Amino acid sequence: MRHTLLTIGLVLLAATASAAAPDFTISSPAFNKDLKTLPPEQIGNQPGCNGPNQSPAVSWKDLPSGTKSVAVTLFDQDANKGGGLWHWVVFNIPPTAGGLPANAGAAADMASSGTMPLGAQMGKNDTGDYAYIGACPPVGERDHRYLLTVWALAIDALPEEAGLSGTAFKGYLDKYAIASKNLSAKYGRKK
């Protein structure tokens, strides 16, 4: 009898937790399941690549309870011989923002255009710029895997030093993330 009551209690607790925690989802037209490869808009405009260097649009809904701010990152898992490369870091996004429009990662946007939600900050990418840097892997390497991630954070605002490097930022994410969701796409340059 005691075992049965414990089982019923656990089932009810799980059902309550499921009802209280909506299904946090993210979406991006650049990372939809049908494409599987980054579209031309997300390709970099640096030596060897001539893309428009536009950050992808991303949206989210049903953030977990307790989310006080949101962060968005784009990370190349295969750059630097598997050490990775941070292409985009945005943090202190109000959870009510619901997303970022395409090309919000242009450096000028932070200063004047208003495409970033009020309070949002861009951190440094791994090229040292406070902006989005598009995909441009070395010619002949296997396709690189790009991870677009939305992080639900249990802190109103990360300190400014969080955005000084991808390594520093990852430490803050590990400390304050309630949940995260990601989308992936590939891109490579053939010989």
Side-chain angles (χ1 to χ4, degrees):
M1 177 70 172
R2 186 174 184 199
H3 179 69
T4 303
L5 289 176
L6 180 60
T7 302
I8 291 170
L10 290 173
V11 168
L12 288 174
L13 181 62
T16 302
S18 295
D23 190 20
F24 169 30
T25 59
I26 68 171
S27 62
S28 172
F31 287 79
N32 79 49
K33 293 176 184 169
D34 297 329
L35 292 176
K36 297 182 184 168
T37 189
L38 283 176
E41 293 79 16
Q42 277 66 62
I43 308 310
N45 186 0
Q46 58 253 40
C49 292
N50 59 357
N53 201 51
Q54 295 180 357
S55 59
V58 59
S59 61
W60 53 85
K61 63 181 182 175
D62 298 326
L63 292 167
S65 177
T67 301
K68 295 182 178 180
S69 68
V70 173
V72 174
T73 59
L74 184 66
F75 184 72
D76 176 350
Q77 303 174 82
D78 299 305
N80 300 322
K81 299 186 184 211
L85 186 122
W86 295 92
H87 283 259
W88 196 30
V89 173
V90 186
F91 59 104
N92 296 345
I93 305 167
T96 55
L100 298 174
N103 205 28
D109 285 351
M110 290 305 292
S112 61
S113 77
T115 59
M116 282 283 183
L118 187 63
Q121 291 180 259
M122 266 198 287
K124 278 187 182 180
N125 61 39
D126 277 347
T127 64
D129 295 322
Y130 290 93
Y132 169 83
I133 182 78
C136 187
V139 172
E141 285 191 4
R142 71 181 177 128
D143 289 356
H144 283 207
R145 296 167 296 158
Y146 296 87
L147 222 62
L148 178 67
T149 307
V150 174
W151 306 82
L153 304 176
I155 188 169
D156 291 319
L158 293 174
E160 195 168 326
E161 65 264 16
L164 294 179
S165 73
T167 303
F169 196 68
K170 181 67 168 98
Y172 281 98
L173 293 175
D174 290 342
K175 184 173 182 178
Y176 293 109
I178 296 170
S180 64
K181 293 285 181 165
N182 59 58
L183 301 168
S184 64
K186 293 182 178 182
Y187 179 71
R189 296 192 303 140
K190 307 302 178 216
K191 291 183 180 183

